[in-house]
Amino acid sequence: MTGDFTFSIIKPNAVRTGKAGPILSMINEGGFEISAMRMVRMTQQQAESFYVVHKGKPFFESLIEFMISGPVIVMLLKRENAVEEFRKLIGATDPSKAEQGTIRKTFAVSVQMNAVHGSDTVENAHREANFFFPEKDRF
Ligand code: CMP
C-alpha cells in the first residue's frame, strides 16, 4: 500500500463562507496535485458510514448533523508521503492547538467546524478514497 495520496473534505462551513478557493490554493501551494474532486451533499447514511470509527463518541451525532448541513468538497490529493504531509499542512484537529500558517489555524472556527478533514493513516486514505471515487474517476 503506497502513501502517495490522501483524501480530504472541505467541510460545510468553509464551503458556505467562501473559503474553498483559498483552501484549494493552500493545498496546491503545499505541493499537492488534485487527482479527483467533487462537490457533494452527503446523506445521513453516508456521513454515518464515513465517520463510523467515531460512532458512540459524545460528538458523533452533532458531527453528522454538521457534515450534512450543506455541500462539501471531497478530494483525492497526490504527493509523496501525502497522508503525513497533508496532516502537517492542515494542522491539529483542535484549531486552538494548530500551528500558525496551517489551514485549520487559518480557517477553522471550532474543533467540529475545523474547515477540512484529512485521512489520518494510509489505510484510511484508501478506505475514504474508495468511498467517494472509483478508480476510473481518478487522474
Ligand atoms: P475530522 O478530521 O473530520 O475527523 C473527525 C472529526 O470529528 C474531526 O475532524 C472533528 O471535526 C470532530 N471532532 C473530533 N473531536 C471532537 C471533539 N472533541 N468535539 C467535537 N468534534 C470533534
Side-chain angles (χ1 to χ4, degrees):
M1 220 176 260
T2 61
D4 60 359
F5 75 82
T6 192
F7 173 83
S8 176
I9 302 178
I10 303 180
K11 296 191 177 186
N13 66 306
V15 172
R16 197 180 292 128
T17 58
K19 303 301 189 309
I23 289 173
L24 287 169
S25 292
M26 286 178 79
I27 290 172
N28 280 147
E29 281 157 20
F32 292 86
E33 263 177 64
I34 297 168
S35 166
M37 178 161 75
R38 195 149 60 83
M39 185 177 253
V40 53
R41 176 107 188 224
M42 279 198 260
T43 63
Q44 175 147 352
Q45 199 182 16
Q46 266 181 318
E48 285 182 356
S49 168
F50 184 82
Y51 279 121
V52 71
V53 291
H54 297 296
K55 202 169 174 142
K57 294 188 185 163
F59 59 84
F60 181 73
E61 263 133 50
S62 111
L63 174 65
I64 299 306
E65 196 180 322
F66 165 60
M67 289 303 290
I68 66 174
S69 67
V72 298
I73 294 173
V74 293
M75 294 172 281
L76 265 192
L77 302 172
K78 265 203 287 204
R79 203 208 124 125
E80 203 178 305
N81 200 18
V83 170
E84 198 180 323
E85 291 298 325
F86 192 65
R87 288 179 73 79
K88 280 191 215 157
L89 180 69
I90 65 180
T93 305
D94 178 348
S96 70
K97 297 185 182 133
E99 282 184 43
Q100 288 296 340
T102 59
I103 292 178
R104 283 173 170 159
K105 189 68 178 182
T106 312
F107 297 110
V109 294
S110 67
V111 180
Q112 181 169 273
M113 296 191 192
N114 60 357
V116 285
H117 165 80
S119 307
D120 60 350
T121 62
V122 171
E123 289 73 17
N124 279 340
H126 280 256
R127 185 186 82 84
E128 294 173 359
N130 288 330
F131 200 91
F132 287 101
F133 299 111
E135 299 265 353
K136 68 174 178 52
D137 292 341
R138 303 178 190 182
F139 294 92

